[in-house]
Amino acid sequence: MTSYIIRRAILTLISIWMVTVLIFLLLHVIGPFFISDRSFDPADWTESISYFLVPEEQLADPEMVRQTLARAGLDQPILQRYLSWSGNLLQGDLGSSVISERPVWDELKWRLPVSVELGLVALVLSAIIAVPLGALTAVKQDTSVDYSVRGYAIALSAFPNFWIATLVVEYASKWWRWAPDIRFEHFWVDPIQHFSVMWLPVVLIALTPGSVFVRYMRATMLEVLRQDYIRTARSKGVVERMVIIRHAMRNAMIPVVTLFGLVVPILIAGNVIFERFFTLPGMGKYIVDAVGDFDIPVIQSMVLVFALIISITNFLVDLSYAWIDPRIRYS
Amino acid sequence: MSEQQTASSTEEEFFDIIPEDDRPWLVQKMSGMGRFAVRRPLGFFGGVIVVIFLVIAVFAPWLVPFDPYKQSLGDRFLSPSWTHLVGTDYVGRDIASRLIYGARLSLFVGMGTVILSGVAGTVMGIMWAYLGKTFDSFMSMMVTAGLALPDLVLLIIAAQIARQAGVSEILAIVVTLSFTRMWGVTRIYRSAALEVRSRPFVEAAESYGANSIRVMSKHVLPNILPLIIVSSTLALPNAILAEAGLSFLGFGPAGEPSWGQMFAGEAREYFRRQIWMLWAPGLTIGLTVMGFNFWGDAMRDLLDPRLRGTT
């Protein structure tokens, strides 16, 4: 097990490094190359990037352009930029915004809890509701319960959650003159206000992973229910309810663990969309705003943070799966 | 000699048992489709939606009743009628025509992503299953990194760069989506290829001296083809949803009618006066995605019964 953990940890570290290279290439090499294609000399990265960062009226003044770029550390050669960025990262320095000049870390301290709360609560909520529901549809296969729950799950995976959100907000205001509360307060400042803002986005984000869980749990549960040990349990006289809860569900839930890794990118996408929709001060809104401003230091550090979250979850999922199922460790 | 004769005669008998179908070709096909419709009603329903979607998307310029880009302030918020099937939006554009052009965009993004990521995933997946240890660890690094990419965030960045650069945003979306999606596909195809590789006929081919390129293309690829078709069919609606989400956020192709963008941004202020601006695109997205999913599920059951019930 230890060697598996070490192997997997090294793989994760290398993959995170690869993500830093990739995002750096995208923002510092590919992006500016395309941009410069139109109105600037392709070879001159500095010139093309200043097109984004410097207000138009200052573009004519080379001194202003130079100052803005120097402030962001964007006037150095590319390799040096990468080395200083990754060097700073290793020391825990994520850089500063070019626009507001606030350190990314200062923003993150306040925004990370919001996004993690949204994602985590949505994940737990969807798992608590959807996993038993999925098991239920398998037990009651081809009954009206099965069809209606599956119908909901299929519809929820087909109709985008942001459309459902728009629908909810529109009809709530039309019928009950109710609008979602968007006066955000942190939990430690005003828990009640915090809850009244967060509940709707959490429920909406939970819809998509919920439908994934229902369908997957149903499939694995159907498979488990056909296994020999279930027949053995039944034939030795175990009460049906116990067969389902103790024997079938516990085994059917093992493969569902792998879904957590799959669902994290969905949750991040949900964060990005709904933090903007409900104007919540989380990481999703932060990066969307940063992309709008082409705030390179913020974008590159935030993509890295998201990639870190996904790869750490994948790492933990793999470990727990290998812990549950010893066959994985030795392959 | 006599043994051979009996063998061939039983063969003939065997084929004699099957009654020859001498109905016209069209009737045969129609009755086949009818059987499919009865046995897999959802799959048939999905297939119908997929066909309608394809026809609409391909022939969009000839099908639209109005110019989807043309604003006409005198015709704002018209209710559904025979001229404007789902009414007009807040600047007087015909919603039905915009939906039809949106289908074109969705099809392009979906098909582009599925083809690009499918080809890349197939090549990488089969090679991963075949080539040596160094390539194996290289690929597992690449895939681990690729699976750690936050897709929507990268899409936003790519679309923004493309917009600023004046490069086609649709192309940037397709390339980025393919890039984020191909790693998962690679992993699936690799494990399928590994499974095929362990079967006896591959061993037979290798033992009579077929080189690995021949084995990969003539033996492994045809055997994972059903899986490729099914997973591509099921991946297409995901790409459509991703594009809709991107457009909803306001980073989609500027000026192009997109389903996700039709109920976002400025349009949100006018739902009171034209509720079809909200309902029409949402229902269209949902129906299309559902159609592809049903169709894909039915195809999976037909092409590879072993995969039945895996999603």
mmCIF file of all heavy atoms in Angstrom, chain A residues 11 14-15 18 38 52 158-159 162-163 166-167 170-171 173 219 276 287 291-292 299 307 310, chain B residues 141-142 144-145 147-148 153 156-157 160 164 245 248-249 268 271-272 275 278-279 282 286 290 309:
data_model
loop_
_atom_site.group_PDB
_atom_site.id
_atom_site.type_symbol
_atom_site.label_atom_id
_atom_site.label_comp_id
_atom_site.label_asym_id
_atom_site.label_seq_id
_atom_site.Cartn_x
_atom_site.Cartn_y
_atom_site.Cartn_z
ATOM 1 N N LEU A 11 3.101 10.798 -9.115
ATOM 2 C CA LEU A 11 2.331 11.030 -10.346
ATOM 3 C C LEU A 11 1.523 12.323 -10.230
ATOM 4 O O LEU A 11 1.481 13.142 -11.153
ATOM 5 C CB LEU A 11 1.401 9.841 -10.565
ATOM 6 C CG LEU A 11 0.865 9.630 -11.974
ATOM 7 C CD1 LEU A 11 2.009 9.398 -12.927
ATOM 8 C CD2 LEU A 11 -0.086 8.444 -11.984
ATOM 9 N N ILE A 14 3.854 15.397 -10.416
ATOM 10 C CA ILE A 14 4.305 15.659 -11.789
ATOM 11 C C ILE A 14 3.165 16.230 -12.622
ATOM 12 O O ILE A 14 3.353 17.171 -13.392
ATOM 13 C CB ILE A 14 4.841 14.359 -12.447
ATOM 14 C CG1 ILE A 14 6.080 13.886 -11.701
ATOM 15 C CG2 ILE A 14 5.180 14.601 -13.898
ATOM 16 C CD1 ILE A 14 6.604 12.561 -12.180
ATOM 17 N N SER A 15 1.958 15.682 -12.424
ATOM 18 C CA SER A 15 0.850 16.174 -13.240
ATOM 19 C C SER A 15 0.518 17.618 -12.887
ATOM 20 O O SER A 15 0.159 18.408 -13.765
ATOM 21 C CB SER A 15 -0.364 15.270 -13.076
ATOM 22 O OG SER A 15 -0.942 15.456 -11.820
ATOM 23 N N MET A 18 2.903 19.674 -14.709
ATOM 24 C CA MET A 18 2.535 19.763 -16.119
ATOM 25 C C MET A 18 1.416 20.776 -16.344
ATOM 26 O O MET A 18 1.382 21.474 -17.359
ATOM 27 C CB MET A 18 2.121 18.391 -16.647
ATOM 28 C CG MET A 18 3.287 17.476 -16.863
ATOM 29 S SD MET A 18 2.740 15.822 -17.197
ATOM 30 C CE MET A 18 3.214 15.647 -18.877
ATOM 31 N N ARG A 38 -2.805 40.030 -35.087
ATOM 32 C CA ARG A 38 -3.648 40.990 -35.774
ATOM 33 C C ARG A 38 -2.983 42.355 -35.922
ATOM 34 O O ARG A 38 -2.808 42.841 -37.011
ATOM 35 C CB ARG A 38 -4.972 41.137 -35.035
ATOM 36 C CG ARG A 38 -6.002 41.820 -35.886
ATOM 37 C CD ARG A 38 -7.343 41.789 -35.242
ATOM 38 N NE ARG A 38 -7.248 42.238 -33.851
ATOM 39 C CZ ARG A 38 -8.298 42.544 -33.120
ATOM 40 N NH1 ARG A 38 -9.493 42.439 -33.630
ATOM 41 N NH2 ARG A 38 -8.156 42.939 -31.881
ATOM 42 N N PHE A 52 -3.843 44.363 -23.739
ATOM 43 C CA PHE A 52 -4.893 44.034 -22.773
ATOM 44 C C PHE A 52 -4.809 44.862 -21.509
ATOM 45 O O PHE A 52 -5.807 45.319 -20.968
ATOM 46 C CB PHE A 52 -4.772 42.573 -22.348
ATOM 47 C CG PHE A 52 -5.226 41.638 -23.384
ATOM 48 C CD1 PHE A 52 -4.329 40.837 -24.031
ATOM 49 C CD2 PHE A 52 -6.563 41.574 -23.711
ATOM 50 C CE1 PHE A 52 -4.755 39.974 -25.001
ATOM 51 C CE2 PHE A 52 -6.991 40.706 -24.680
ATOM 52 C CZ PHE A 52 -6.084 39.905 -25.326
ATOM 53 N N ALA A 158 -30.212 16.388 -18.558
ATOM 54 C CA ALA A 158 -30.360 16.934 -19.909
ATOM 55 C C ALA A 158 -30.620 18.438 -19.888
ATOM 56 O O ALA A 158 -30.077 19.177 -20.697
ATOM 57 C CB ALA A 158 -31.484 16.219 -20.648
ATOM 58 N N PHE A 159 -31.466 18.883 -18.959
ATOM 59 C CA PHE A 159 -31.756 20.319 -18.892
ATOM 60 C C PHE A 159 -30.680 20.983 -18.050
ATOM 61 O O PHE A 159 -30.477 20.602 -16.898
ATOM 62 C CB PHE A 159 -33.141 20.557 -18.293
ATOM 63 C CG PHE A 159 -34.247 20.105 -19.192
ATOM 64 C CD1 PHE A 159 -34.787 18.838 -19.074
ATOM 65 C CD2 PHE A 159 -34.718 20.935 -20.185
ATOM 66 C CE1 PHE A 159 -35.787 18.407 -19.929
ATOM 67 C CE2 PHE A 159 -35.728 20.516 -21.042
ATOM 68 C CZ PHE A 159 -36.261 19.247 -20.911
ATOM 69 N N PHE A 162 -28.278 25.801 -15.091
ATOM 70 C CA PHE A 162 -28.397 27.263 -15.114
ATOM 71 C C PHE A 162 -29.708 27.698 -15.758
ATOM 72 O O PHE A 162 -30.231 28.767 -15.439
ATOM 73 C CB PHE A 162 -27.198 27.912 -15.808
ATOM 74 C CG PHE A 162 -26.830 27.307 -17.133
ATOM 75 C CD1 PHE A 162 -27.423 27.751 -18.286
ATOM 76 C CD2 PHE A 162 -25.882 26.297 -17.208
ATOM 77 C CE1 PHE A 162 -27.083 27.205 -19.501
ATOM 78 C CE2 PHE A 162 -25.538 25.737 -18.430
ATOM 79 C CZ PHE A 162 -26.139 26.193 -19.578
ATOM 80 N N TRP A 163 -30.250 26.842 -16.622
ATOM 81 C CA TRP A 163 -31.575 27.158 -17.179
ATOM 82 C C TRP A 163 -32.641 26.962 -16.101
ATOM 83 O O TRP A 163 -33.545 27.796 -15.943
ATOM 84 C CB TRP A 163 -31.874 26.268 -18.391
ATOM 85 C CG TRP A 163 -33.211 26.534 -18.993
ATOM 86 C CD1 TRP A 163 -33.588 27.663 -19.664
ATOM 87 C CD2 TRP A 163 -34.348 25.670 -18.956
ATOM 88 N NE1 TRP A 163 -34.894 27.553 -20.055
ATOM 89 C CE2 TRP A 163 -35.392 26.344 -19.642
ATOM 90 C CE3 TRP A 163 -34.608 24.401 -18.433
ATOM 91 C CZ2 TRP A 163 -36.664 25.779 -19.799
ATOM 92 C CZ3 TRP A 163 -35.862 23.848 -18.603
ATOM 93 C CH2 TRP A 163 -36.868 24.535 -19.274
ATOM 94 N N THR A 166 -32.561 29.922 -13.879
ATOM 95 C CA THR A 166 -33.234 31.081 -14.460
ATOM 96 C C THR A 166 -34.740 30.937 -14.339
ATOM 97 O O THR A 166 -35.456 31.888 -13.991
ATOM 98 C CB THR A 166 -32.848 31.222 -15.950
ATOM 99 O OG1 THR A 166 -31.462 30.946 -16.086
ATOM 100 C CG2 THR A 166 -33.135 32.606 -16.458
ATOM 101 N N LEU A 167 -35.211 29.712 -14.604
ATOM 102 C CA LEU A 167 -36.638 29.418 -14.511
ATOM 103 C C LEU A 167 -37.156 29.671 -13.096
ATOM 104 O O LEU A 167 -38.175 30.340 -12.887
ATOM 105 C CB LEU A 167 -36.827 27.944 -14.877
ATOM 106 C CG LEU A 167 -38.081 27.500 -15.594
ATOM 107 C CD1 LEU A 167 -38.197 28.231 -16.897
ATOM 108 C CD2 LEU A 167 -37.983 25.993 -15.859
ATOM 109 N N GLU A 170 -37.157 33.387 -12.228
ATOM 110 C CA GLU A 170 -38.184 34.113 -12.975
ATOM 111 C C GLU A 170 -39.582 33.847 -12.395
ATOM 112 O O GLU A 170 -40.341 34.773 -12.117
ATOM 113 C CB GLU A 170 -38.122 33.698 -14.449
ATOM 114 C CG GLU A 170 -39.196 34.293 -15.328
ATOM 115 C CD GLU A 170 -39.183 35.808 -15.344
ATOM 116 O OE1 GLU A 170 -38.114 36.386 -15.071
ATOM 117 O OE2 GLU A 170 -40.240 36.406 -15.612
ATOM 118 N N TYR A 171 -39.915 32.569 -12.193
ATOM 119 C CA TYR A 171 -41.269 32.260 -11.741
ATOM 120 C C TYR A 171 -41.479 32.594 -10.264
ATOM 121 O O TYR A 171 -42.588 32.951 -9.867
ATOM 122 C CB TYR A 171 -41.620 30.798 -12.045
ATOM 123 C CG TYR A 171 -42.059 30.670 -13.474
ATOM 124 C CD1 TYR A 171 -41.164 30.349 -14.466
ATOM 125 C CD2 TYR A 171 -43.371 30.960 -13.834
ATOM 126 C CE1 TYR A 171 -41.553 30.286 -15.796
ATOM 127 C CE2 TYR A 171 -43.776 30.897 -15.161
ATOM 128 C CZ TYR A 171 -42.860 30.559 -16.130
ATOM 129 O OH TYR A 171 -43.247 30.512 -17.436
ATOM 130 N N SER A 173 -40.280 35.179 -8.799
ATOM 131 C CA SER A 173 -40.567 36.609 -8.733
ATOM 132 C C SER A 173 -41.930 36.906 -9.330
ATOM 133 O O SER A 173 -42.632 37.811 -8.892
ATOM 134 C CB SER A 173 -39.466 37.401 -9.440
ATOM 135 O OG SER A 173 -39.736 37.477 -10.815
ATOM 136 N N ALA A 219 -27.188 1.366 -11.521
ATOM 137 C CA ALA A 219 -26.516 0.356 -12.337
ATOM 138 C C ALA A 219 -25.694 -0.599 -11.474
ATOM 139 O O ALA A 219 -25.790 -1.823 -11.631
ATOM 140 C CB ALA A 219 -25.623 1.035 -13.365
ATOM 141 N N ARG A 276 -21.434 33.598 -10.346
ATOM 142 C CA ARG A 276 -21.694 34.757 -11.186
ATOM 143 C C ARG A 276 -23.189 35.072 -11.200
ATOM 144 O O ARG A 276 -23.595 36.224 -11.108
ATOM 145 C CB ARG A 276 -21.204 34.471 -12.601
ATOM 146 C CG ARG A 276 -21.179 35.676 -13.489
ATOM 147 C CD ARG A 276 -20.516 35.275 -14.786
ATOM 148 N NE ARG A 276 -20.947 36.106 -15.881
ATOM 149 C CZ ARG A 276 -20.282 37.189 -16.270
ATOM 150 N NH1 ARG A 276 -19.210 37.566 -15.635
ATOM 151 N NH2 ARG A 276 -20.714 37.889 -17.296
ATOM 152 N N ILE A 287 -12.322 34.242 -10.929
ATOM 153 C CA ILE A 287 -11.591 33.926 -12.156
ATOM 154 C C ILE A 287 -12.341 34.427 -13.382
ATOM 155 O O ILE A 287 -11.727 34.883 -14.348
ATOM 156 C CB ILE A 287 -11.258 32.422 -12.275
ATOM 157 C CG1 ILE A 287 -10.204 32.247 -13.368
ATOM 158 C CG2 ILE A 287 -12.473 31.577 -12.567
ATOM 159 C CD1 ILE A 287 -9.473 30.989 -13.343
ATOM 160 N N VAL A 291 -10.591 36.804 -16.042
ATOM 161 C CA VAL A 291 -10.487 36.512 -17.472
ATOM 162 C C VAL A 291 -11.028 37.693 -18.278
ATOM 163 O O VAL A 291 -10.452 38.084 -19.288
ATOM 164 C CB VAL A 291 -11.245 35.212 -17.829
ATOM 165 C CG1 VAL A 291 -11.305 35.022 -19.323
ATOM 166 C CG2 VAL A 291 -10.571 34.024 -17.193
ATOM 167 N N GLY A 292 -12.135 38.276 -17.779
ATOM 168 C CA GLY A 292 -12.690 39.448 -18.458
ATOM 169 C C GLY A 292 -11.679 40.579 -18.544
ATOM 170 O O GLY A 292 -11.622 41.296 -19.539
ATOM 171 N N ILE A 299 -5.271 34.800 -13.289
ATOM 172 C CA ILE A 299 -5.760 33.651 -14.058
ATOM 173 C C ILE A 299 -4.854 32.449 -13.854
ATOM 174 O O ILE A 299 -5.309 31.353 -13.528
ATOM 175 C CB ILE A 299 -5.842 33.973 -15.564
ATOM 176 C CG1 ILE A 299 -6.770 35.145 -15.819
ATOM 177 C CG2 ILE A 299 -6.341 32.771 -16.339
ATOM 178 C CD1 ILE A 299 -6.761 35.617 -17.254
ATOM 179 N N ALA A 307 -6.875 23.219 -10.511
ATOM 180 C CA ALA A 307 -6.254 21.944 -10.894
ATOM 181 C C ALA A 307 -5.771 21.196 -9.656
ATOM 182 O O ALA A 307 -5.880 19.964 -9.584
ATOM 183 C CB ALA A 307 -5.086 22.197 -11.846
ATOM 184 N N ILE A 310 -8.744 19.517 -8.045
ATOM 185 C CA ILE A 310 -9.175 18.313 -8.767
ATOM 186 C C ILE A 310 -8.166 17.191 -8.580
ATOM 187 O O ILE A 310 -8.538 16.052 -8.295
ATOM 188 C CB ILE A 310 -9.360 18.606 -10.275
ATOM 189 C CG1 ILE A 310 -10.380 19.711 -10.467
ATOM 190 C CG2 ILE A 310 -9.814 17.358 -11.007
ATOM 191 C CD1 ILE A 310 -10.561 20.109 -11.905
ATOM 192 N N MET B 141 1.124 9.991 -16.751
ATOM 193 C CA MET B 141 1.342 11.367 -16.287
ATOM 194 C C MET B 141 0.468 12.350 -17.054
ATOM 195 O O MET B 141 -0.192 13.205 -16.472
ATOM 196 C CB MET B 141 2.815 11.757 -16.481
ATOM 197 C CG MET B 141 3.702 11.323 -15.349
ATOM 198 S SD MET B 141 5.407 11.856 -15.501
ATOM 199 C CE MET B 141 5.841 11.665 -17.181
ATOM 200 N N MET B 142 0.490 12.192 -18.398
ATOM 201 C CA MET B 142 -0.296 13.110 -19.227
ATOM 202 C C MET B 142 -1.774 13.043 -18.866
ATOM 203 O O MET B 142 -2.462 14.058 -18.730
ATOM 204 C CB MET B 142 -0.143 12.765 -20.718
ATOM 205 C CG MET B 142 1.217 13.016 -21.292
ATOM 206 S SD MET B 142 1.655 14.749 -21.282
ATOM 207 C CE MET B 142 0.694 15.331 -22.654
ATOM 208 N N THR B 144 -3.189 11.924 -16.051
ATOM 209 C CA THR B 144 -3.462 12.469 -14.720
ATOM 210 C C THR B 144 -3.506 13.992 -14.769
ATOM 211 O O THR B 144 -4.364 14.629 -14.154
ATOM 212 C CB THR B 144 -2.375 12.024 -13.721
ATOM 213 O OG1 THR B 144 -2.051 10.677 -13.980
ATOM 214 C CG2 THR B 144 -2.858 12.161 -12.300
ATOM 215 N N ALA B 145 -2.560 14.575 -15.529
ATOM 216 C CA ALA B 145 -2.569 16.031 -15.649
ATOM 217 C C ALA B 145 -3.799 16.499 -16.408
ATOM 218 O O ALA B 145 -4.467 17.454 -16.003
ATOM 219 C CB ALA B 145 -1.297 16.502 -16.349
ATOM 220 N N LEU B 147 -6.681 15.141 -16.711
ATOM 221 C CA LEU B 147 -7.932 15.003 -15.962
ATOM 222 C C LEU B 147 -8.035 16.038 -14.846
ATOM 223 O O LEU B 147 -9.100 16.214 -14.263
ATOM 224 C CB LEU B 147 -8.042 13.594 -15.372
ATOM 225 C CG LEU B 147 -8.280 12.488 -16.392
ATOM 226 C CD1 LEU B 147 -8.259 11.133 -15.713
ATOM 227 C CD2 LEU B 147 -9.599 12.698 -17.105
ATOM 228 N N ALA B 148 -6.920 16.725 -14.535
ATOM 229 C CA ALA B 148 -6.958 17.731 -13.471
ATOM 230 C C ALA B 148 -7.343 19.105 -14.003
ATOM 231 O O ALA B 148 -7.401 20.068 -13.243
ATOM 232 C CB ALA B 148 -5.603 17.801 -12.776
ATOM 233 N N VAL B 153 -13.302 26.617 -16.921
ATOM 234 C CA VAL B 153 -12.380 27.739 -16.730
ATOM 235 C C VAL B 153 -11.470 27.897 -17.949
ATOM 236 O O VAL B 153 -11.291 29.005 -18.472
ATOM 237 C CB VAL B 153 -11.561 27.524 -15.445
ATOM 238 C CG1 VAL B 153 -10.474 28.568 -15.326
ATOM 239 C CG2 VAL B 153 -12.458 27.551 -14.230
ATOM 240 N N ILE B 156 -13.385 29.368 -20.843
ATOM 241 C CA ILE B 156 -13.565 30.817 -20.736
ATOM 242 C C ILE B 156 -12.309 31.539 -21.195
ATOM 243 O O ILE B 156 -12.363 32.492 -21.983
ATOM 244 C CB ILE B 156 -13.896 31.205 -19.277
ATOM 245 C CG1 ILE B 156 -15.238 30.639 -18.860
ATOM 246 C CG2 ILE B 156 -13.902 32.707 -19.108
ATOM 247 C CD1 ILE B 156 -15.539 30.859 -17.404
ATOM 248 N N ILE B 157 -11.151 31.045 -20.730
ATOM 249 C CA ILE B 157 -9.883 31.691 -21.083
ATOM 250 C C ILE B 157 -9.665 31.630 -22.597
ATOM 251 O O ILE B 157 -9.372 32.638 -23.242
ATOM 252 C CB ILE B 157 -8.707 31.015 -20.352
ATOM 253 C CG1 ILE B 157 -8.872 31.177 -18.842
ATOM 254 C CG2 ILE B 157 -7.384 31.602 -20.799
ATOM 255 C CD1 ILE B 157 -7.880 30.380 -18.042
ATOM 256 N N GLN B 160 -11.990 33.854 -24.507
ATOM 257 C CA GLN B 160 -11.635 35.267 -24.336
ATOM 258 C C GLN B 160 -10.432 35.634 -25.196
ATOM 259 O O GLN B 160 -10.427 36.673 -25.866
ATOM 260 C CB GLN B 160 -11.361 35.531 -22.849
ATOM 261 C CG GLN B 160 -10.898 36.929 -22.537
ATOM 262 C CD GLN B 160 -12.038 37.924 -22.583
ATOM 263 O OE1 GLN B 160 -13.157 37.578 -22.945
ATOM 264 N NE2 GLN B 160 -11.759 39.168 -22.248
ATOM 265 N N GLN B 164 -10.511 38.352 -28.275
ATOM 266 C CA GLN B 164 -9.609 39.502 -28.355
ATOM 267 C C GLN B 164 -8.752 39.440 -29.612
ATOM 268 O O GLN B 164 -8.393 40.460 -30.182
ATOM 269 C CB GLN B 164 -8.690 39.547 -27.133
ATOM 270 C CG GLN B 164 -9.404 39.746 -25.820
ATOM 271 C CD GLN B 164 -9.805 41.182 -25.591
ATOM 272 O OE1 GLN B 164 -9.616 42.022 -26.463
ATOM 273 N NE2 GLN B 164 -10.384 41.464 -24.436
ATOM 274 N N GLY B 245 -23.315 26.415 -21.497
ATOM 275 C CA GLY B 245 -22.886 27.043 -20.251
ATOM 276 C C GLY B 245 -21.950 28.206 -20.495
ATOM 277 O O GLY B 245 -22.071 29.273 -19.883
ATOM 278 N N PHE B 248 -23.918 31.024 -21.803
ATOM 279 C CA PHE B 248 -24.724 31.576 -20.731
ATOM 280 C C PHE B 248 -23.904 32.552 -19.899
ATOM 281 O O PHE B 248 -24.385 33.598 -19.468
ATOM 282 C CB PHE B 248 -25.259 30.446 -19.844
ATOM 283 C CG PHE B 248 -26.123 30.902 -18.718
ATOM 284 C CD1 PHE B 248 -27.436 31.300 -18.951
ATOM 285 C CD2 PHE B 248 -25.641 30.942 -17.420
ATOM 286 C CE1 PHE B 248 -28.242 31.728 -17.912
ATOM 287 C CE2 PHE B 248 -26.440 31.369 -16.379
ATOM 288 C CZ PHE B 248 -27.743 31.766 -16.621
ATOM 289 N N LEU B 249 -22.625 32.216 -19.687
ATOM 290 C CA LEU B 249 -21.744 33.101 -18.921
ATOM 291 C C LEU B 249 -21.348 34.346 -19.711
ATOM 292 O O LEU B 249 -20.763 35.269 -19.167
ATOM 293 C CB LEU B 249 -20.473 32.352 -18.523
ATOM 294 C CG LEU B 249 -20.554 31.453 -17.312
ATOM 295 C CD1 LEU B 249 -19.261 30.675 -17.161
ATOM 296 C CD2 LEU B 249 -20.803 32.268 -16.059
ATOM 297 N N ARG B 268 -32.566 38.498 -19.924
ATOM 298 C CA ARG B 268 -33.176 38.167 -18.638
ATOM 299 C C ARG B 268 -34.104 39.261 -18.136
ATOM 300 O O ARG B 268 -34.967 39.012 -17.301
ATOM 301 C CB ARG B 268 -32.088 37.906 -17.596
ATOM 302 C CG ARG B 268 -31.440 36.571 -17.769
ATOM 303 C CD ARG B 268 -30.339 36.360 -16.771
ATOM 304 N NE ARG B 268 -30.827 36.383 -15.402
ATOM 305 C CZ ARG B 268 -30.032 36.423 -14.345
ATOM 306 N NH1 ARG B 268 -28.750 36.479 -14.502
ATOM 307 N NH2 ARG B 268 -30.542 36.422 -13.135
ATOM 308 N N PHE B 271 -38.096 38.717 -19.711
ATOM 309 C CA PHE B 271 -38.912 37.498 -19.684
ATOM 310 C C PHE B 271 -40.376 37.810 -19.424
ATOM 311 O O PHE B 271 -41.266 37.101 -19.886
ATOM 312 C CB PHE B 271 -38.396 36.527 -18.609
ATOM 313 C CG PHE B 271 -37.077 35.924 -18.947
ATOM 314 C CD1 PHE B 271 -36.187 35.581 -17.946
ATOM 315 C CD2 PHE B 271 -36.705 35.690 -20.261
ATOM 316 C CE1 PHE B 271 -34.959 35.021 -18.246
ATOM 317 C CE2 PHE B 271 -35.487 35.126 -20.565
ATOM 318 C CZ PHE B 271 -34.611 34.799 -19.550
ATOM 319 N N ARG B 272 -40.644 38.859 -18.662
ATOM 320 C CA ARG B 272 -42.033 39.224 -18.377
ATOM 321 C C ARG B 272 -42.815 39.480 -19.665
ATOM 322 O O ARG B 272 -43.990 39.196 -19.763
ATOM 323 C CB ARG B 272 -42.091 40.512 -17.547
ATOM 324 C CG ARG B 272 -41.828 40.341 -16.115
ATOM 325 C CD ARG B 272 -42.828 39.419 -15.466
ATOM 326 N NE ARG B 272 -42.276 38.926 -14.225
ATOM 327 C CZ ARG B 272 -42.256 39.661 -13.116
ATOM 328 N NH1 ARG B 272 -42.808 40.843 -13.092
ATOM 329 N NH2 ARG B 272 -41.691 39.193 -12.027
ATOM 330 N N ILE B 275 -41.957 35.288 -22.474
ATOM 331 C CA ILE B 275 -41.493 34.150 -21.682
ATOM 332 C C ILE B 275 -40.887 33.071 -22.578
ATOM 333 O O ILE B 275 -40.091 32.248 -22.123
ATOM 334 C CB ILE B 275 -42.661 33.600 -20.830
ATOM 335 C CG1 ILE B 275 -42.119 32.715 -19.696
ATOM 336 C CG2 ILE B 275 -43.656 32.844 -21.680
ATOM 337 C CD1 ILE B 275 -41.290 33.429 -18.680
ATOM 338 N N LEU B 278 -37.219 32.378 -22.614
ATOM 339 C CA LEU B 278 -36.684 31.486 -21.586
ATOM 340 C C LEU B 278 -36.987 30.024 -21.911
ATOM 341 O O LEU B 278 -36.106 29.170 -21.864
ATOM 342 C CB LEU B 278 -37.281 31.871 -20.229
ATOM 343 C CG LEU B 278 -36.935 31.007 -19.028
ATOM 344 C CD1 LEU B 278 -35.450 30.898 -18.866
ATOM 345 C CD2 LEU B 278 -37.549 31.605 -17.774
ATOM 346 N N TRP B 279 -38.253 29.757 -22.261
ATOM 347 C CA TRP B 279 -38.667 28.365 -22.435
ATOM 348 C C TRP B 279 -38.096 27.716 -23.694
ATOM 349 O O TRP B 279 -37.616 26.584 -23.644
ATOM 350 C CB TRP B 279 -40.199 28.264 -22.480
ATOM 351 C CG TRP B 279 -40.790 28.274 -21.119
ATOM 352 C CD1 TRP B 279 -41.406 29.329 -20.504
ATOM 353 C CD2 TRP B 279 -40.812 27.197 -20.178
ATOM 354 N NE1 TRP B 279 -41.802 28.983 -19.237
ATOM 355 C CE2 TRP B 279 -41.459 27.683 -19.019
ATOM 356 C CE3 TRP B 279 -40.349 25.893 -20.188
ATOM 357 C CZ2 TRP B 279 -41.652 26.888 -17.888
ATOM 358 C CZ3 TRP B 279 -40.534 25.106 -19.067
ATOM 359 C CH2 TRP B 279 -41.182 25.606 -17.938
ATOM 360 N N GLY B 282 -34.284 26.562 -23.586
ATOM 361 C CA GLY B 282 -34.087 25.547 -22.549
ATOM 362 C C GLY B 282 -34.668 24.217 -22.956
ATOM 363 O O GLY B 282 -34.005 23.172 -22.854
ATOM 364 N N GLY B 286 -32.638 20.719 -23.650
ATOM 365 C CA GLY B 286 -32.990 19.513 -22.907
ATOM 366 C C GLY B 286 -33.393 18.376 -23.826
ATOM 367 O O GLY B 286 -32.925 17.251 -23.682
ATOM 368 N N MET B 290 -31.337 14.942 -24.327
ATOM 369 C CA MET B 290 -32.048 13.722 -23.993
ATOM 370 C C MET B 290 -32.093 12.786 -25.192
ATOM 371 O O MET B 290 -31.876 11.582 -25.059
ATOM 372 C CB MET B 290 -33.462 14.081 -23.576
ATOM 373 C CG MET B 290 -33.853 13.506 -22.238
ATOM 374 S SD MET B 290 -35.582 13.755 -21.989
ATOM 375 C CE MET B 290 -35.643 15.128 -20.961
ATOM 376 N N GLY B 309 -26.394 -1.220 -19.214
ATOM 377 C CA GLY B 309 -26.604 -0.783 -17.836
ATOM 378 C C GLY B 309 -25.376 -0.213 -17.165
ATOM 379 O O GLY B 309 -25.303 -0.166 -15.951
#
